[in-house]
Amino acid sequence: MSDEAVYPVTDHFRNKALIDKETYESMYQRSIQDPESFWAEQAKRLDWMKPFSRVKDVSFASDDVHIRWFDDGTLNAAANCIDRHLEERSGQPAIIWEPDEESEDNRVITYAELHEEVSRLANGLKSLGVKKGDIVTLYMPMVPEAAYAMLACARIGAIHSVVFGGFSPEALAGRIDDGGSKVVITADEARRGGKRVPLKANVDEAVSLCKESSVDNVVVLKATGGNVDFNGNRDIWYRDLVGKQSDQCEPEEMGAEDTLFVLYTSGSTGKPKGVVHTTGGYLLHTSITHEYVFDYRPGEVYWCSADVGWITGHSYVVYGPLANGGTTMMFEGVPTYPDVGRLGRIIDKYKIATFYTAPTAIRSLMAEGDAPVANADLSSLKLLGTVGEPINPEAWRWFHQKFGKGQCPIVDTWWQTETGGILISPLPGAIDLKPGSATKPFFGVQPALMDPEGNEMEGATSGGLVLKDSWPGQMRTILGNHQRFVETYFSTYEGCYFTGDGAKRDEDGYYWITGRVDDVLNVSGHRMGTAEVESALVSHDAVAEAAVVGCPHEIKGQGIYVYVTLTHGQSPSDELAKELKQHVRKEIGPIATPDVIQWADGLPKTRSGKIMRRILRKIAADEFDSLGDTSTLADPNVVDDLIEGHRVAA
Ligand code: 6R9
């Protein structure tokens, strides 16, 4: 049984870790028994402009959900990530950037330079009329300017809304519209693995698709020098904007509960939601977890391979490491370009101490055998981390052995866009590891498992994963829709935050996340709402009805499996399948491209017309023997047809 495999805390971490076993136990107890005094003390790790007098003001009751931390204190996130480090670390690298093309020059940005760049851009944004509370949309490649832009917004109290560069113009337009951005910051093109993404052209198209927003200015970074259309009334080159600005910009005094950023994520229904994170609690949570989960010591080079377009990039490429005065690595490319040895070469080149990545990346390298590490030394590594989806024990062991040489602990960190930072994870000096388990809760985090009736279950068991009390980094609301926030997270189990994940707890109190229990897919660690993909599909003329489920996928974890019923007069063909895939790419982006399209004359529906997705999931997974009760179907015969159709499609 995989539960039996235990990897004890290593000698290295036992003696030198920031948090050892005893400290973890006692701090955890205090954090639960007296959260107010615990967090008041931890909050000293930030620089406050005006100290807070209230620590926590929280209610999870569904008729009155509110979450406030340190709410009468003031601070500035950018000043915490930059200015306060200048005295001691002005010459220390804050960001190290490795370009997509290995032969090109890298960039090393010191804290002094970061201060200058961010201040200039902050002044530039002000000159465009951006004010405290305005939302600025960022659609950027993985370059240092993406971090400058986030921090420049934070410096002047503007709210950034970063949209992943892989999203389509349609998806970008929806996000610009939702927040009402007047300013978009982008680049001519992004590069990834030798391929180019026309970011500026996508912004042009998105702006023309916007219904609510009228974008006044598009700031364009020259990243590749690729050709772009330039609209002189609206567009301005990044360098022209910042070139004439002062390198001093007083950081704005922000309330702890003022919004720092909005980031869109997929849910089981409707359009992606704008997750709202605020200033004080978020920064405290990302800073403390970055230090303790990664046992981070200033001077170390820390590498989180996530794109800044995702929450992991926000929390563990930008805010956490910089709040701690760390050196954070940004990589523009992909693990397999120009070849599978790239990650190993980067680790050696920069003497990376901590490498934090996604199981899907590990699995794609694992498929190449020893090649990814064959010529790498890797002796600088002390710790590895994973995030985004459950890691299968085989991939865990491969990563541990090949990258960690059996010496580096792996912190399997469970958290969500909504949680702001890591909630369940080993602390490397305190918690023995079990491959595939995110292990134990971080300070202040109270997980519980619920049965379908909403009762909390004790001991070794499995159920719906909830959190019983707040933690500082928790999302505060959905932008413009607090009611949806309450319904999505606080109505399934009264008085608890429901994660949407299922989990198992073993005899040692270790948590094993088993995956989403709602209609959210996790494709290569990226969240994708089945409803979003379905609505993209039915917007195509040939599609009458579509049902989307996840299917097992060796590299991606989950693939996207689509059942399509065509409109009258349309007939299935390979060309049409290609066209539908293309259509979804265009509507959402390449990450939503269906893996399998199965033509279906009918879908399994109850008499009341509800699609029984459980059956579709089982068929997509080849599990025909465990379809369960199909007697409530309006037409039980569709199941046989679907099984037959699956054999053809898969
Ligand atoms: C940070 C991030 C959140 C969902 C979450 C869960 C899955 C994340 C995991 C994990 C098992 C882990 N997830 N980390 N599942 N083990 N270590 O990924 O945020 O993109 O919002 O996704 O990802 O299902 O609910 P986000």
Side-chain angles (χ1 to χ4, degrees):
M1 238 171 73
S2 56
D3 300 40
E4 305 297 329
V6 177
Y7 291 69
V9 170
T10 61
D11 289 340
H12 174 88
F13 276 89
R14 183 171 295 109
N15 303 329
K16 289 194 254 166
L18 291 170
I19 307 281
D20 62 16
K21 264 195 172 80
E22 292 68 37
T23 315
Y24 168 72
E25 292 297 341
S26 67
M27 280 176 78
Y28 182 74
Q29 285 313 322
R30 254 198 63 218
S31 75
I32 298 305
Q33 282 153 11
D34 191 357
E36 305 249 345
S37 84
F38 179 86
W39 286 115
E41 194 181 313
Q42 300 306 324
K44 291 186 190 140
R45 63 168 47 245
L46 300 182
D47 274 8
W48 297 83
M49 290 170 166
K50 183 164 116 344
F52 52 87
S53 66
R54 282 190 300 274
V55 175
K56 183 180 174 215
D57 172 12
V58 169
S59 161
F60 280 3
S62 59
D63 57 356
D64 175 33
V65 174
H66 65 263
I67 299 154
R68 290 189 276 269
W69 286 86
F70 318 109
D71 70 344
D72 61 349
T74 64
L75 74 168
N76 183 282
N80 269 280
C81 289
I82 308 169
D83 304 43
R84 65 171 175 153
H85 307 311
L86 290 177
E87 201 173 316
E88 263 184 64
R89 326 186 174 281
S90 64
Q92 179 203 298
I95 300 175
I96 299 178
W97 178 75
E98 169 76 8
D100 193 38
E101 293 297 341
E102 217 164 1
S103 57
E104 282 177 20
D105 289 342
N106 65 356
R107 291 162 66 184
V108 177
I109 296 104
T110 64
Y111 272 95
E113 287 160 344
L114 182 64
H115 179 261
E116 185 180 327
E117 294 280 358
V118 169
S119 301
R120 282 187 199 282
L121 180 57
N123 286 326
L125 291 174
K126 278 189 186 171
S127 77
L128 297 177
V130 177
K131 294 182 306 298
K132 183 171 174 171
D134 290 349
I135 299 184
V136 177
T137 298
L138 275 48
Y139 186 64
M140 297 286 282
M142 267 298 273
V143 294
E145 286 79 3
Y148 302 166
M150 293 164 76
L151 293 164
C153 288
R155 196 166 189 90
I156 63 173
I159 298 165
H160 57 72
S161 167
V162 183
V163 178
F164 174 57
F167 278 121
S168 68
E170 280 80 359
L172 174 60
R175 286 154 172 82
I176 294 174
D177 258 347
D178 188 66
S181 292
K182 298 256 175 250
V183 173
V184 177
I185 308 179
T186 190
D188 44 8
E189 296 175 311
R191 311 182 297 181
R192 268 171 68 86
K195 298 199 192 87
R196 295 190 173 199
V197 183
L199 296 182
K200 172 62 166 60
N202 287 356
V203 170
D204 291 341
E205 194 181 337
V207 169
S208 73
L209 291 169
C210 281
K211 295 186 189 78
E212 315 284 332
S213 272
S214 61
V215 171
D216 295 334
N217 292 108
V218 177
V219 180
V220 189
L221 176 76
K222 202 171 266 188
T224 65
N227 267 335
V228 297
D229 288 339
F230 209 79
N231 170 349
N233 295 324
R234 185 196 68 189
D235 301 342
I236 175 162
W237 290 109
Y238 183 102
R239 282 294 146 205
D240 291 343
L241 179 68
V242 300
K244 48 183 188 259
Q245 302 296 335
S246 152
D247 61 4
Q248 298 297 320
C249 173
E250 201 52 38
E252 190 75 31
E253 181 170 358
M254 302 299 288
E257 283 301 336
D258 284 338
T259 300
L260 178 61
F261 66 87
V262 176
L263 182 62
Y264 288 82
T265 193
S266 296
S268 43
T269 56
K271 285 192 302 185
K273 16 178 210 267
V275 169
V276 171
H277 281 291
T278 58
T279 307
Y282 172 81
L283 202 62
L284 171 58
H285 190 83
T286 51
S287 155
I288 189 174
T289 49
H290 173 261
E291 180 175 359
Y292 292 154
V293 173
F294 300 111
D295 199 74
Y296 185 77
R297 316 301 168 95
E300 288 176 358
V301 185
Y302 159 92
W303 182 16
C304 164
S305 71
D307 191 282
V308 290
W310 308 110
I311 190 67
T312 308
H314 283 58
S315 302
Y316 299 109
V317 175
V318 179
Y319 286 109
L322 296 178
N324 292 339
T327 299
T328 185
M329 172 84 208
M330 267 180 111
F331 174 40
E332 189 182 26
V334 297
T336 48
Y337 181 81
D339 58 69
V340 296
R342 186 73 190 271
L343 296 188
R345 291 197 293 277
I346 296 176
I347 290 167
D348 287 348
K349 180 170 174 187
Y350 299 104
K351 307 252 177 306
I352 304 287
T354 299
F355 178 48
Y356 184 37
T357 194
T360 186
I362 296 167
R363 287 191 300 265
S364 74
L365 293 177
M366 191 168 85
E368 307 288 334
D370 281 348
V373 293
N375 299 310
D377 173 52
L378 305 178
S379 60
S380 61
L381 286 173
K382 70 165 202 183
L383 182 68
L384 301 168
T386 65
V387 58
E389 52 175 319
I391 180 161
N392 46 315
E394 304 71 52
W396 194 101
R397 288 201 189 85
W398 185 86
F399 196 38
H400 188 252
Q401 208 48 52
K402 301 292 175 183
F403 274 78
K405 309 288 182 208
Q407 299 300 310
C408 303
I410 299 177
V411 290
D412 174 352
T413 64
W414 173 85
W415 57 294
Q416 311 178 296
T417 305
E418 294 89 335
T419 71
I422 295 164
L423 293 196
I424 303 182
S425 167
L427 298 186
I431 298 171
D432 300 336
L433 309 174
K434 298 185 187 185
S437 170
T439 75
K440 300 262 195 169
F442 190 74
F443 304 133
V445 175
Q446 294 187 57
L449 300 177
M450 308 299 264
D451 71 13
E453 280 74 50
N455 305 307
E456 180 177 349
M457 296 182 291
E458 303 294 331
T461 185
S462 53
L465 178 65
V466 302
L467 300 156
K468 296 206 286 182
D469 199 357
S470 185
W471 59 98
Q474 182 171 23
M475 82 183 275
R476 302 302 198 251
T477 191
I478 292 174
L479 185 71
N481 200 342
H482 194 66
Q483 198 45 41
R484 187 173 174 204
F485 176 59
V486 174
E487 277 158 19
T488 308
Y489 303 104
F490 299 93
S491 67
T492 314
Y493 302 107
E494 180 55 44
C496 293
Y497 166 86
F498 179 43
T499 63
D501 280 322
K504 179 182 94 176
R505 186 172 48 219
D506 69 16
E507 293 75 14
D508 300 323
Y510 276 47
Y511 287 87
W512 302 71
I513 312 299
T514 46
R516 304 289 304 193
V517 296
D518 53 11
D519 290 323
V520 172
L521 308 181
N522 191 327
V523 181
S524 300
H526 301 319
R527 270 165 76 165
M528 187 59 49
T530 49
E532 271 173 84
V533 184
E534 285 164 6
S535 95
L537 283 160
V538 296
S539 73
H540 190 282
D541 286 341
V543 178
E545 198 167 30
V548 172
V549 297
C551 62
H553 189 290
E554 219 167 285
I555 305 289
K556 300 184 194 179
Q558 260 187 327
I560 301 180
Y561 194 108
V562 179
Y563 297 87
V564 170
T565 307
L566 293 172
T567 48
H568 193 68
Q570 294 285 344
S571 41
S573 67
D574 289 349
E575 288 71 55
L576 183 55
K578 256 196 220 124
E579 192 180 318
L580 292 181
K581 287 184 186 179
Q582 200 50 43
H583 181 70
V584 176
R585 284 173 76 95
K586 183 175 163 295
E587 290 289 311
I588 304 175
I591 51 171
T593 312
D595 292 281
V596 182
I597 292 188
Q598 175 175 343
W599 310 111
D601 290 335
L603 295 171
K605 290 186 186 166
T606 61
R607 288 190 192 91
S608 61
K610 262 188 101 180
I611 296 176
M612 285 178 81
R613 294 166 170 284
R614 170 175 60 84
I615 293 177
L616 294 176
R617 275 194 283 266
K618 292 279 183 194
I619 294 176
D622 275 328
E623 293 168 7
F624 312 130
D625 299 339
S626 54
L627 291 178
D629 181 17
T630 55
S631 62
T632 57
L633 286 175
D635 175 10
N637 291 326
V638 298
V639 173
D640 291 336
D641 293 346
L642 286 168
I643 291 176
E644 189 47 43
H646 168 77
R647 295 216 160 93
V648 178

